[in-house]
Every structure is written in structure tokens, then in C-alpha cells.
Amino acid sequence: MGNLVNLRFLDLSVNELSGQLPPSFAGMRRMREFSLSRNQLSGTIPPDIFSSWPDLTLLYLHYNSFTGSIPVEIGEAKKLQLLSLLCNNLTGVIPAQIGGMASLQMLHLGQNCLTGPIPSSVGNLAHLVILVLSFNSLTGTVPAEIGNLTALQDLDLNNNQLDGELPETISLLNDLYYLSLKSNNFTGGVPDLRSTKLLTAELDDNSFSGGFPLSFCLFTSLEILDLSSNQLSGQLPSCIWDLQELVFMDLSSNTLSGDVLASSTNSSLSLESLHLANNRFSGDFPSVIKNMKMLSVLDLGDNYFSGAIPSWIGSGLPLLRILRLRSNMFSGSSIPLQLLQLSHLQFLDLASNNLQGLIPHGLSNLTSMVQPQTEFNMKSRVHHQILNLEADFSYADRVDVNWKIQTYEFQGAIALMTGIDLSGNSIGGEIPAELTNLQGLRLLNLSRNNLSGAIPVNIGNLKLLESLDLSWNELSGLIPSGISELMSLSLLNLSNNMLSGEIPTGSQLQTLADPSIYSNNYGIPLLDMSKEIEDVYVYYSMIAGAVCGLWLWFGSLVFITSWRTSFFYAVDWMVTNKNVKARLWDSPQISLNSSNSVRPQTKLN
């Protein structure tokens, strides 16, 4: 194809092309737009395509397997406007010569293996609109020259190893629509952003400190805000609730404190997902949440909220799917019956609070726990057009779940998580039989309460159940035989109750061989483990006795001089006596033969 000297446009994207780019391609000297994206091409990027194609304006090589470094000749492509090398295996540093592409509008180098700093020469790209360097191993600080990119609308540096404080010049980027700095090592205060056009701000998983930036209250178009996993402190300003377009906000895992103040406008909000977990918030349940009619995910866990869980949640948040209030100080004589109006609710976590009363009847109204969820994820998208390209800024919602003794973050597959966790409260009464109608449950934890009565006989209806913990209650009676029908069960704990009778048999139950999951029950022994425990006790007692005896004996020899002297004297006497006998036995004078006769043993010369 190198002979096609007049060829200007070549698009072979989305095929199954493999191998390397032939050097002869440099012969197509009038090439303007060249796209080989989404193939299986490998090898290095030929430097000649930058120096031999003076009219090149578009180069798309993304989603291939190119290796090696970015050629320094890239700076010779003076007319290049759109460059995408996304998702290859490129290594080495970003060459400083990249600043020579004065016409460049899009630079996409994400998802490679690039190292080293962001070159300050990037500040020469005055027409740059899109800069994506995410998912590499870039180090160092963001150069102050970034402020020269006043046309920038999309800045994505996430998932690198960048550090230090962000330059003040970042406030000069007044046209930003999308900013992602997540998963780096940035420190200092949250940057003073001034773009009122901002739609998405992802600054999570860094070490930003200081108070919540008031400048965010001015971003009236903001739809996605993620400041989680930083070191922000102080009170959350009430003006944040004036952002009518905000759909997703995650401020979890900081040290924010105080009451969550209500908005002064008291108008409806567009929030679909709100995460305030793992902070130091206090006071009553935030009343501002009542204005969030579109809310699907609410996570207030691991704070110091107190008072009653408001009954208006049932009618005020009709679309709620995830409700996580664990590890607070919520109290009340009962779980609000109105929660059962949440027909979309699929995960309810009220663990580790001060709730009392009974488990309410009417659980069958939680229809999303009856029918297993088939959706794979819950995503929200922010759509925007940049450079005549369709840009979808999306996030996959997530929630922390205490799952099989550990805490896991369910992200993307959140719609597959269905469960109830009421553990660590003071809930009494019996387990409602209708609980077994929630056949979509994968997790059920009612441990460390005051529940009494029998385990529901139809517990076997929960076919998808993977984790069942009823420990530390006052449950009595037999273990239902239906529990052996839980073929997905991988964690079971019935310990510390008053259960009796035989343990049901089943192929899945046999894999749960740890006897402690049935321990400390009363009445008829659950397992005939007395002989086994006795044997183990005797075995370990013998070992312990032997070890103690040896230490006592040898310790006495070390610390009691008279014992030590007598012991070594006795050993010396035994050794001497043995040597005397050995010399008599090995004497060359006589030996006994088979006929008991005596014959000389000396050797004849």
C-alpha cells in the first residue's frame, strides 16, 4: 500500500488485522486520516508516519497491542489534531516533543504502561480540548503549565502515581466539563476550580485535606461528585443541596463531622445515589433526604447518627433499592413498618444500632427481594458532546456489604446483591415465617439480637441464600430439615442459641464441617462430639504434660546446683561403666562360637 501516494483517508478499524505496520506505509505521503483501531496489531509504531505524512490530522491506533515507546518524531506532526493510542502496551516516557503538535485537539494515551512525569511541554498545546493520560504509571507532580490549556474540556489523569499539590493554575481551566484525578497520591487542599460548566468531578482515593470546598456549591451543572477516600474534615455546607442537577455524590471515608444541615431552598433534588458513610456525622437522620424523591442508593453507615429512623422513608423515597444505615446509634422501639412500602428495596442493612421491638410483618411487600434481580449493574450516565464526539461520563454504583464475615465492596454487580442485615441490635420476638417468601435473598444476618422461637420451617425456600447467620439469639426447637436444601449456602452460623435435635444432612451442609457453627446450644446435644472433644482434650493434655515435665526436669538441672552435679556424676558413672564392659567384650583373647567352645582369636603372621 505504500505505492498509493495519493491516498488520503484509510479506515480499517474493527477488523481482525494482526502483525506489524509495514515501513512502506510511509510512502502514502498525502495521508490525512489514518485509523486502524480495534484490531490485533502489534510491534512498534513506525516513526516515519509522523515525519513522512505532513498533512496528517487524525491518527487512531487505539485498542491494539502496540509496544515500545512513543516515537520522538511525533513532534513533527504539526497538523495532527486527533491522536488516540488508547489501550495498547506502550512503555517509556511521554516525549517532550509532544509539545510540538501545535494543532492537537485530542491526546488520548490512556491504558498503557507509560512512566515518568507529565512533560511541561504539554502546556504548548493551546488548542487541546481532550487530555486523557489515565491508567498508566505516571509519577511526579502536575506541571503548572497545565493552566495554559484554556480550551481544555476533558482532563483525565486517574489511576496513576502522581503526587504533590495541584498547581493553582488549574483554576484557569474555565471550560472544563469533566475532571478525573482519582486514584493518585495528591495532597493539600482540593483544587480551587472555577469552571461553572463542570459536569463530573472525580477526586476520590487521594489524600486531599482541609474543609469541603465551597466552590463546588457554584457548579450548578454538576451531576457527578466523588470526593470519597480523602482526608476532608469539618462540616458539610448546606449549599451543596442547592445543586439541582446532582445525580451522584460520594463523600464517604473522610472525617467530615457535625449535623448534615438542610438546604435553605427545600426544593426537590435529582440525587439518585448518596454516600456519606464512614465519616463522623452526628445528629438526627438528615431531613434533607426527604427531598430526594429519585434516590436509589442511600449509605449513611459508620457514623454517629442517632434518634429514630423516620417513617417517611417508606413513602418519601419510593425508588430506594439500597438502604445502609449500619454502625450508627439509631434507636427506636421498632423497625418502622413503613419501610415495607419500599417495593424496589433489595438490600437493607440496619446492623449495629440500638433498635428494639419486633421484625415487622409484611415482608412479602418487598417484591424486589422476592424476585431475584436479573440486571447486571446500576449505571448513571452524563452525556456531553466534545469535538463532535459523543462523550458519555458514567459511573458504576457501589455499596459496602458485610459478606461472609468480611466487608466487600460490590461495584457494578450491585443489582445482584440482595440481603437483609439486622445484626447487633436488641430485636426480639420470633422470626416471621413470611421471611422465607423473600426467595431472592443471598444474605440474611439476624445474629446478636434477642430473637426467640423456632427457625422458620420453610427456610429451605431461600434457594439463593449464600450466607445465613442466626447466632447469639435465644432460638429454640429443631433445626428445620429444609436447611439442607440451601444448595448455595457457603456460610452458616447457628451457634449460641438453645437449639436441639439432630443436624439435618445434605450435600451442601456436609461442606460446612466446622463444628463451631452449631456450638453453645442447649437441650439435646446437636452433635455427639463429647467423645471426640474428650479425645482431643486427653491428646493435648498428654502433650502439654510432657512438655511441662521436660521443662521442669531440665529447668531444675539448670537452676539447682546440687541436682546438676549429681546428674552429671551419674551420667559420667554410666558412661565409664559401659566403656569397661565394652573393653572386656571386645578383648582379642577369647570369643564364643556356636558350639560354645573356646578358641584363640589372635591373628597369625
Side-chain angles (χ1 to χ4, degrees), residues 31-52:
M31 182 61 64
R32 294 185 59 184
E33 295 186 6
F34 185 72
S35 178
L36 290 176
S37 61
R38 300 183 185 274
N39 280 287
Q40 302 168 21
L41 299 169
S42 57
T44 59
I45 298 174
D48 291 343
I49 66 175
F50 298 108
S51 56
S52 301

mmCIF file with all atom_site columns, all heavy atoms in Angstrom, residues 31-52:
data_model
loop_
_atom_site.group_PDB
_atom_site.id
_atom_site.type_symbol
_atom_site.label_atom_id
_atom_site.label_alt_id
_atom_site.label_comp_id
_atom_site.label_asym_id
_atom_site.label_entity_id
_atom_site.label_seq_id
_atom_site.pdbx_PDB_ins_code
_atom_site.Cartn_x
_atom_site.Cartn_y
_atom_site.Cartn_z
_atom_site.occupancy
_atom_site.B_iso_or_equiv
_atom_site.pdbx_formal_charge
_atom_site.auth_seq_id
_atom_site.auth_comp_id
_atom_site.auth_asym_id
_atom_site.auth_atom_id
_atom_site.pdbx_PDB_model_num
ATOM 1   N N   . MET A 1 31 ? -1.393  11.192  3.186  1.00 0.00 ? 31 MET A N   1
ATOM 2   C CA  . MET A 1 31 ? -2.343  10.668  4.165  1.00 0.00 ? 31 MET A CA  1
ATOM 3   C C   . MET A 1 31 ? -2.772  11.770  5.141  1.00 0.00 ? 31 MET A C   1
ATOM 4   O O   . MET A 1 31 ? -1.955  12.516  5.672  1.00 0.00 ? 31 MET A O   1
ATOM 5   C CB  . MET A 1 31 ? -1.712  9.520   4.953  1.00 0.00 ? 31 MET A CB  1
ATOM 6   C CG  . MET A 1 31 ? -2.635  8.871   5.963  1.00 0.00 ? 31 MET A CG  1
ATOM 7   S SD  . MET A 1 31 ? -4.116  8.138   5.202  1.00 0.00 ? 31 MET A SD  1
ATOM 8   C CE  . MET A 1 31 ? -3.352  6.850   4.200  1.00 0.00 ? 31 MET A CE  1
ATOM 9   N N   . ARG A 1 32 ? -4.094  11.847  5.348  1.00 0.00 ? 32 ARG A N   1
ATOM 10  C CA  . ARG A 1 32 ? -4.643  12.836  6.275  1.00 0.00 ? 32 ARG A CA  1
ATOM 11  C C   . ARG A 1 32 ? -5.332  12.170  7.478  1.00 0.00 ? 32 ARG A C   1
ATOM 12  O O   . ARG A 1 32 ? -5.166  12.621  8.603  1.00 0.00 ? 32 ARG A O   1
ATOM 13  C CB  . ARG A 1 32 ? -5.635  13.749  5.549  1.00 0.00 ? 32 ARG A CB  1
ATOM 14  C CG  . ARG A 1 32 ? -4.979  14.621  4.474  1.00 0.00 ? 32 ARG A CG  1
ATOM 15  C CD  . ARG A 1 32 ? -5.983  15.591  3.862  1.00 0.00 ? 32 ARG A CD  1
ATOM 16  N NE  . ARG A 1 32 ? -6.549  16.468  4.887  1.00 0.00 ? 32 ARG A NE  1
ATOM 17  C CZ  . ARG A 1 32 ? -7.514  17.362  4.630  1.00 0.00 ? 32 ARG A CZ  1
ATOM 18  N NH1 . ARG A 1 32 ? -8.024  17.452  3.411  1.00 0.00 ? 32 ARG A NH1 1
ATOM 19  N NH2 . ARG A 1 32 ? -7.966  18.135  5.594  1.00 0.00 ? 32 ARG A NH2 1
ATOM 20  N N   . GLU A 1 33 ? -6.116  11.115  7.217  1.00 0.00 ? 33 GLU A N   1
ATOM 21  C CA  . GLU A 1 33 ? -6.800  10.429  8.312  1.00 0.00 ? 33 GLU A CA  1
ATOM 22  C C   . GLU A 1 33 ? -6.514  8.940   8.208  1.00 0.00 ? 33 GLU A C   1
ATOM 23  O O   . GLU A 1 33 ? -6.796  8.314   7.186  1.00 0.00 ? 33 GLU A O   1
ATOM 24  C CB  . GLU A 1 33 ? -8.306  10.696  8.263  1.00 0.00 ? 33 GLU A CB  1
ATOM 25  C CG  . GLU A 1 33 ? -8.665  12.161  8.491  1.00 0.00 ? 33 GLU A CG  1
ATOM 26  C CD  . GLU A 1 33 ? -10.162 12.385  8.581  1.00 0.00 ? 33 GLU A CD  1
ATOM 27  O OE1 . GLU A 1 33 ? -10.912 11.366  8.571  1.00 0.00 ? 33 GLU A OE1 1
ATOM 28  O OE2 . GLU A 1 33 ? -10.601 13.546  8.660  1.00 0.00 ? 33 GLU A OE2 1
ATOM 29  N N   . PHE A 1 34 ? -5.970  8.393   9.292  1.00 0.00 ? 34 PHE A N   1
ATOM 30  C CA  . PHE A 1 34 ? -5.499  7.009   9.281  1.00 0.00 ? 34 PHE A CA  1
ATOM 31  C C   . PHE A 1 34 ? -6.016  6.321   10.547 1.00 0.00 ? 34 PHE A C   1
ATOM 32  O O   . PHE A 1 34 ? -5.664  6.708   11.668 1.00 0.00 ? 34 PHE A O   1
ATOM 33  C CB  . PHE A 1 34 ? -3.968  6.997   9.248  1.00 0.00 ? 34 PHE A CB  1
ATOM 34  C CG  . PHE A 1 34 ? -3.360  5.624   9.108  1.00 0.00 ? 34 PHE A CG  1
ATOM 35  C CD1 . PHE A 1 34 ? -3.430  4.942   7.914  1.00 0.00 ? 34 PHE A CD1 1
ATOM 36  C CD2 . PHE A 1 34 ? -2.698  5.034   10.182 1.00 0.00 ? 34 PHE A CD2 1
ATOM 37  C CE1 . PHE A 1 34 ? -2.847  3.693   7.785  1.00 0.00 ? 34 PHE A CE1 1
ATOM 38  C CE2 . PHE A 1 34 ? -2.118  3.783   10.055 1.00 0.00 ? 34 PHE A CE2 1
ATOM 39  C CZ  . PHE A 1 34 ? -2.201  3.112   8.858  1.00 0.00 ? 34 PHE A CZ  1
ATOM 40  N N   . SER A 1 35 ? -6.887  5.321   10.379 1.00 0.00 ? 35 SER A N   1
ATOM 41  C CA  . SER A 1 35 ? -7.489  4.637   11.529 1.00 0.00 ? 35 SER A CA  1
ATOM 42  C C   . SER A 1 35 ? -7.360  3.131   11.384 1.00 0.00 ? 35 SER A C   1
ATOM 43  O O   . SER A 1 35 ? -7.860  2.542   10.418 1.00 0.00 ? 35 SER A O   1
ATOM 44  C CB  . SER A 1 35 ? -8.967  5.012   11.673 1.00 0.00 ? 35 SER A CB  1
ATOM 45  O OG  . SER A 1 35 ? -9.550  4.323   12.761 1.00 0.00 ? 35 SER A OG  1
ATOM 46  N N   . LEU A 1 36 ? -6.681  2.531   12.340 1.00 0.00 ? 36 LEU A N   1
ATOM 47  C CA  . LEU A 1 36 ? -6.555  1.074   12.416 1.00 0.00 ? 36 LEU A CA  1
ATOM 48  C C   . LEU A 1 36 ? -6.973  0.585   13.801 1.00 0.00 ? 36 LEU A C   1
ATOM 49  O O   . LEU A 1 36 ? -6.483  -0.435  14.289 1.00 0.00 ? 36 LEU A O   1
ATOM 50  C CB  . LEU A 1 36 ? -5.109  0.655   12.132 1.00 0.00 ? 36 LEU A CB  1
ATOM 51  C CG  . LEU A 1 36 ? -4.609  0.830   10.691 1.00 0.00 ? 36 LEU A CG  1
ATOM 52  C CD1 . LEU A 1 36 ? -3.139  0.468   10.596 1.00 0.00 ? 36 LEU A CD1 1
ATOM 53  C CD2 . LEU A 1 36 ? -5.421  -0.036  9.736  1.00 0.00 ? 36 LEU A CD2 1
ATOM 54  N N   . SER A 1 37 ? -7.880  1.300   14.430 1.00 0.00 ? 37 SER A N   1
ATOM 55  C CA  . SER A 1 37 ? -8.277  0.965   15.797 1.00 0.00 ? 37 SER A CA  1
ATOM 56  C C   . SER A 1 37 ? -9.032  -0.362  15.851 1.00 0.00 ? 37 SER A C   1
ATOM 57  O O   . SER A 1 37 ? -9.600  -0.831  14.874 1.00 0.00 ? 37 SER A O   1
ATOM 58  C CB  . SER A 1 37 ? -9.153  2.079   16.370 1.00 0.00 ? 37 SER A CB  1
ATOM 59  O OG  . SER A 1 37 ? -10.331 2.237   15.595 1.00 0.00 ? 37 SER A OG  1
ATOM 60  N N   . ARG A 1 38 ? -8.992  -0.970  17.041 1.00 0.00 ? 38 ARG A N   1
ATOM 61  C CA  . ARG A 1 38 ? -9.734  -2.201  17.346 1.00 0.00 ? 38 ARG A CA  1
ATOM 62  C C   . ARG A 1 38 ? -9.361  -3.333  16.386 1.00 0.00 ? 38 ARG A C   1
ATOM 63  O O   . ARG A 1 38 ? -10.199 -3.941  15.742 1.00 0.00 ? 38 ARG A O   1
ATOM 64  C CB  . ARG A 1 38 ? -11.235 -1.942  17.335 1.00 0.00 ? 38 ARG A CB  1
ATOM 65  C CG  . ARG A 1 38 ? -11.661 -0.896  18.377 1.00 0.00 ? 38 ARG A CG  1
ATOM 66  C CD  . ARG A 1 38 ? -13.155 -0.693  18.415 1.00 0.00 ? 38 ARG A CD  1
ATOM 67  N NE  . ARG A 1 38 ? -13.527 0.373   19.324 1.00 0.00 ? 38 ARG A NE  1
ATOM 68  C CZ  . ARG A 1 38 ? -13.721 0.218   20.632 1.00 0.00 ? 38 ARG A CZ  1
ATOM 69  N NH1 . ARG A 1 38 ? -13.581 -0.978  21.171 1.00 0.00 ? 38 ARG A NH1 1
ATOM 70  N NH2 . ARG A 1 38 ? -14.033 1.256   21.392 1.00 0.00 ? 38 ARG A NH2 1
ATOM 71  N N   . ASN A 1 39 ? -8.062  -3.585  16.320 1.00 0.00 ? 39 ASN A N   1
ATOM 72  C CA  . ASN A 1 39 ? -7.555  -4.740  15.612 1.00 0.00 ? 39 ASN A CA  1
ATOM 73  C C   . ASN A 1 39 ? -6.636  -5.512  16.554 1.00 0.00 ? 39 ASN A C   1
ATOM 74  O O   . ASN A 1 39 ? -6.743  -5.382  17.780 1.00 0.00 ? 39 ASN A O   1
ATOM 75  C CB  . ASN A 1 39 ? -6.813  -4.311  14.340 1.00 0.00 ? 39 ASN A CB  1
ATOM 76  C CG  . ASN A 1 39 ? -7.763  -3.985  13.189 1.00 0.00 ? 39 ASN A CG  1
ATOM 77  O OD1 . ASN A 1 39 ? -8.358  -4.866  12.584 1.00 0.00 ? 39 ASN A OD1 1
ATOM 78  N ND2 . ASN A 1 39 ? -7.932  -2.678  12.909 1.00 0.00 ? 39 ASN A ND2 1
ATOM 79  N N   . GLN A 1 40 ? -5.745  -6.292  15.991 1.00 0.00 ? 40 GLN A N   1
ATOM 80  C CA  . GLN A 1 40 ? -4.814  -7.084  16.798 1.00 0.00 ? 40 GLN A CA  1
ATOM 81  C C   . GLN A 1 40 ? -3.380  -6.803  16.368 1.00 0.00 ? 40 GLN A C   1
ATOM 82  O O   . GLN A 1 40 ? -2.517  -7.675  16.367 1.00 0.00 ? 40 GLN A O   1
ATOM 83  C CB  . GLN A 1 40 ? -5.141  -8.579  16.652 1.00 0.00 ? 40 GLN A CB  1
ATOM 84  C CG  . GLN A 1 40 ? -6.562  -8.921  17.064 1.00 0.00 ? 40 GLN A CG  1
ATOM 85  C CD  . GLN A 1 40 ? -6.976  -10.330 16.662 1.00 0.00 ? 40 GLN A CD  1
ATOM 86  O OE1 . GLN A 1 40 ? -6.124  -11.190 16.416 1.00 0.00 ? 40 GLN A OE1 1
ATOM 87  N NE2 . GLN A 1 40 ? -8.275  -10.569 16.585 1.00 0.00 ? 40 GLN A NE2 1
ATOM 88  N N   . LEU A 1 41 ? -3.127  -5.560  16.028 1.00 0.00 ? 41 LEU A N   1
ATOM 89  C CA  . LEU A 1 41 ? -1.813  -5.169  15.537 1.00 0.00 ? 41 LEU A CA  1
ATOM 90  C C   . LEU A 1 41 ? -0.813  -5.086  16.687 1.00 0.00 ? 41 LEU A C   1
ATOM 91  O O   . LEU A 1 41 ? -1.166  -4.788  17.826 1.00 0.00 ? 41 LEU A O   1
ATOM 92  C CB  . LEU A 1 41 ? -1.905  -3.821  14.825 1.00 0.00 ? 41 LEU A CB  1
ATOM 93  C CG  . LEU A 1 41 ? -2.828  -3.820  13.591 1.00 0.00 ? 41 LEU A CG  1
ATOM 94  C CD1 . LEU A 1 41 ? -3.072  -2.389  13.122 1.00 0.00 ? 41 LEU A CD1 1
ATOM 95  C CD2 . LEU A 1 41 ? -2.220  -4.658  12.472 1.00 0.00 ? 41 LEU A CD2 1
ATOM 96  N N   . SER A 1 42 ? 0.453   -5.347  16.378 1.00 0.00 ? 42 SER A N   1
ATOM 97  C CA  . SER A 1 42 ? 1.491   -5.379  17.404 1.00 0.00 ? 42 SER A CA  1
ATOM 98  C C   . SER A 1 42 ? 2.761   -4.720  16.862 1.00 0.00 ? 42 SER A C   1
ATOM 99  O O   . SER A 1 42 ? 2.751   -4.095  15.795 1.00 0.00 ? 42 SER A O   1
ATOM 100 C CB  . SER A 1 42 ? 1.768   -6.830  17.816 1.00 0.00 ? 42 SER A CB  1
ATOM 101 O OG  . SER A 1 42 ? 2.147   -7.611  16.694 1.00 0.00 ? 42 SER A OG  1
ATOM 102 N N   . GLY A 1 43 ? 3.846   -4.865  17.607 1.00 0.00 ? 43 GLY A N   1
ATOM 103 C CA  . GLY A 1 43 ? 5.093   -4.239  17.206 1.00 0.00 ? 43 GLY A CA  1
ATOM 104 C C   . GLY A 1 43 ? 5.124   -2.770  17.592 1.00 0.00 ? 43 GLY A C   1
ATOM 105 O O   . GLY A 1 43 ? 4.248   -2.261  18.294 1.00 0.00 ? 43 GLY A O   1
ATOM 106 N N   . THR A 1 44 ? 6.124   -2.074  17.129 1.00 0.00 ? 44 THR A N   1
ATOM 107 C CA  . THR A 1 44 ? 6.274   -0.656  17.467 1.00 0.00 ? 44 THR A CA  1
ATOM 108 C C   . THR A 1 44 ? 5.556   0.224   16.447 1.00 0.00 ? 44 THR A C   1
ATOM 109 O O   . THR A 1 44 ? 5.240   -0.199  15.340 1.00 0.00 ? 44 THR A O   1
ATOM 110 C CB  . THR A 1 44 ? 7.759   -0.278  17.506 1.00 0.00 ? 44 THR A CB  1
ATOM 111 O OG1 . THR A 1 44 ? 8.355   -0.539  16.231 1.00 0.00 ? 44 THR A OG1 1
ATOM 112 C CG2 . THR A 1 44 ? 8.500   -1.092  18.568 1.00 0.00 ? 44 THR A CG2 1
ATOM 113 N N   . ILE A 1 45 ? 5.294   1.448   16.869 1.00 0.00 ? 45 ILE A N   1
ATOM 114 C CA  . ILE A 1 45 ? 4.682   2.423   15.966 1.00 0.00 ? 45 ILE A CA  1
ATOM 115 C C   . ILE A 1 45 ? 5.798   3.018   15.101 1.00 0.00 ? 45 ILE A C   1
ATOM 116 O O   . ILE A 1 45 ? 6.749   3.594   15.632 1.00 0.00 ? 45 ILE A O   1
ATOM 117 C CB  . ILE A 1 45 ? 3.980   3.539   16.762 1.00 0.00 ? 45 ILE A CB  1
ATOM 118 C CG1 . ILE A 1 45 ? 2.861   2.933   17.617 1.00 0.00 ? 45 ILE A CG1 1
ATOM 119 C CG2 . ILE A 1 45 ? 3.421   4.600   15.822 1.00 0.00 ? 45 ILE A CG2 1
ATOM 120 C CD1 . ILE A 1 45 ? 2.200   3.935   18.538 1.00 0.00 ? 45 ILE A CD1 1
ATOM 121 N N   . PRO A 1 46 ? 5.719   2.867   13.772 1.00 0.00 ? 46 PRO A N   1
ATOM 122 C CA  . PRO A 1 46 ? 6.791   3.372   12.901 1.00 0.00 ? 46 PRO A CA  1
ATOM 123 C C   . PRO A 1 46 ? 6.963   4.884   13.016 1.00 0.00 ? 46 PRO A C   1
ATOM 124 O O   . PRO A 1 46 ? 5.992   5.638   12.840 1.00 0.00 ? 46 PRO A O   1
ATOM 125 C CB  . PRO A 1 46 ? 6.318   2.975   11.500 1.00 0.00 ? 46 PRO A CB  1
ATOM 126 C CG  . PRO A 1 46 ? 5.314   1.883   11.706 1.00 0.00 ? 46 PRO A CG  1
ATOM 127 C CD  . PRO A 1 46 ? 4.654   2.193   13.009 1.00 0.00 ? 46 PRO A CD  1
ATOM 128 N N   . PRO A 1 47 ? 8.163   5.365   13.333 1.00 0.00 ? 47 PRO A N   1
ATOM 129 C CA  . PRO A 1 47 ? 8.374   6.820   13.449 1.00 0.00 ? 47 PRO A CA  1
ATOM 130 C C   . PRO A 1 47 ? 8.107   7.570   12.149 1.00 0.00 ? 47 PRO A C   1
ATOM 131 O O   . PRO A 1 47 ? 7.732   8.752   12.175 1.00 0.00 ? 47 PRO A O   1
ATOM 132 C CB  . PRO A 1 47 ? 9.847   6.921   13.859 1.00 0.00 ? 47 PRO A CB  1
ATOM 133 C CG  . PRO A 1 47 ? 10.213  5.565   14.377 1.00 0.00 ? 47 PRO A CG  1
ATOM 134 C CD  . PRO A 1 47 ? 9.370   4.601   13.628 1.00 0.00 ? 47 PRO A CD  1
ATOM 135 N N   . ASP A 1 48 ? 8.257   6.872   11.020 1.00 0.00 ? 48 ASP A N   1
ATOM 136 C CA  . ASP A 1 48 ? 8.149   7.541   9.722  1.00 0.00 ? 48 ASP A CA  1
ATOM 137 C C   . ASP A 1 48 ? 6.759   8.092   9.450  1.00 0.00 ? 48 ASP A C   1
ATOM 138 O O   . ASP A 1 48 ? 6.612   9.026   8.650  1.00 0.00 ? 48 ASP A O   1
ATOM 139 C CB  . ASP A 1 48 ? 8.538   6.581   8.596  1.00 0.00 ? 48 ASP A CB  1
ATOM 140 C CG  . ASP A 1 48 ? 10.027  6.245   8.621  1.00 0.00 ? 48 ASP A CG  1
ATOM 141 O OD1 . ASP A 1 48 ? 10.770  6.992   9.292  1.00 0.00 ? 48 ASP A OD1 1
ATOM 142 O OD2 . ASP A 1 48 ? 10.425  5.257   7.986  1.00 0.00 ? 48 ASP A OD2 1
ATOM 143 N N   . ILE A 1 49 ? 5.718   7.522   10.080 1.00 0.00 ? 49 ILE A N   1
ATOM 144 C CA  . ILE A 1 49 ? 4.371   8.025   9.774  1.00 0.00 ? 49 ILE A CA  1
ATOM 145 C C   . ILE A 1 49 ? 4.199   9.448   10.284 1.00 0.00 ? 49 ILE A C   1
ATOM 146 O O   . ILE A 1 49 ? 3.322   10.175  9.827  1.00 0.00 ? 49 ILE A O   1
ATOM 147 C CB  . ILE A 1 49 ? 3.279   7.099   10.335 1.00 0.00 ? 49 ILE A CB  1
ATOM 148 C CG1 . ILE A 1 49 ? 3.287   7.076   11.856 1.00 0.00 ? 49 ILE A CG1 1
ATOM 149 C CG2 . ILE A 1 49 ? 3.434   5.692   9.788  1.00 0.00 ? 49 ILE A CG2 1
ATOM 150 C CD1 . ILE A 1 49 ? 2.131   6.261   12.442 1.00 0.00 ? 49 ILE A CD1 1
ATOM 151 N N   . PHE A 1 50 ? 4.997   9.861   11.257 1.00 0.00 ? 50 PHE A N   1
ATOM 152 C CA  . PHE A 1 50 ? 4.911   11.233  11.756 1.00 0.00 ? 50 PHE A CA  1
ATOM 153 C C   . PHE A 1 50 ? 5.748   12.197  10.919 1.00 0.00 ? 50 PHE A C   1
ATOM 154 O O   . PHE A 1 50 ? 5.358   13.346  10.710 1.00 0.00 ? 50 PHE A O   1
ATOM 155 C CB  . PHE A 1 50 ? 5.349   11.291  13.218 1.00 0.00 ? 50 PHE A CB  1
ATOM 156 C CG  . PHE A 1 50 ? 4.488   10.482  14.134 1.00 0.00 ? 50 PHE A CG  1
ATOM 157 C CD1 . PHE A 1 50 ? 4.957   9.299   14.691 1.00 0.00 ? 50 PHE A CD1 1
ATOM 158 C CD2 . PHE A 1 50 ? 3.196   10.884  14.443 1.00 0.00 ? 50 PHE A CD2 1
ATOM 159 C CE1 . PHE A 1 50 ? 4.167   8.542   15.547 1.00 0.00 ? 50 PHE A CE1 1
ATOM 160 C CE2 . PHE A 1 50 ? 2.397   10.140  15.290 1.00 0.00 ? 50 PHE A CE2 1
ATOM 161 C CZ  . PHE A 1 50 ? 2.876   8.950   15.844 1.00 0.00 ? 50 PHE A CZ  1
ATOM 162 N N   . SER A 1 51 ? 6.886   11.690  10.440 1.00 0.00 ? 51 SER A N   1
ATOM 163 C CA  . SER A 1 51 ? 7.775   12.570  9.677  1.00 0.00 ? 51 SER A CA  1
ATOM 164 C C   . SER A 1 51 ? 7.454   12.560  8.181  1.00 0.00 ? 51 SER A C   1
ATOM 165 O O   . SER A 1 51 ? 7.801   13.508  7.467  1.00 0.00 ? 51 SER A O   1
ATOM 166 C CB  . SER A 1 51 ? 9.232   12.139  9.891  1.00 0.00 ? 51 SER A CB  1
ATOM 167 O OG  . SER A 1 51 ? 9.425   10.776  9.547  1.00 0.00 ? 51 SER A OG  1
ATOM 168 N N   . SER A 1 52 ? 6.786   11.503  7.679  1.00 0.00 ? 52 SER A N   1
ATOM 169 C CA  . SER A 1 52 ? 6.530   11.375  6.244  1.00 0.00 ? 52 SER A CA  1
ATOM 170 C C   . SER A 1 52 ? 5.107   11.756  5.839  1.00 0.00 ? 52 SER A C   1
ATOM 171 O O   . SER A 1 52 ? 4.800   11.779  4.650  1.00 0.00 ? 52 SER A O   1
ATOM 172 C CB  . SER A 1 52 ? 6.799   9.922   5.800  1.00 0.00 ? 52 SER A CB  1
ATOM 173 O OG  . SER A 1 52 ? 8.138   9.547   6.078  1.00 0.00 ? 52 SER A OG  1
#
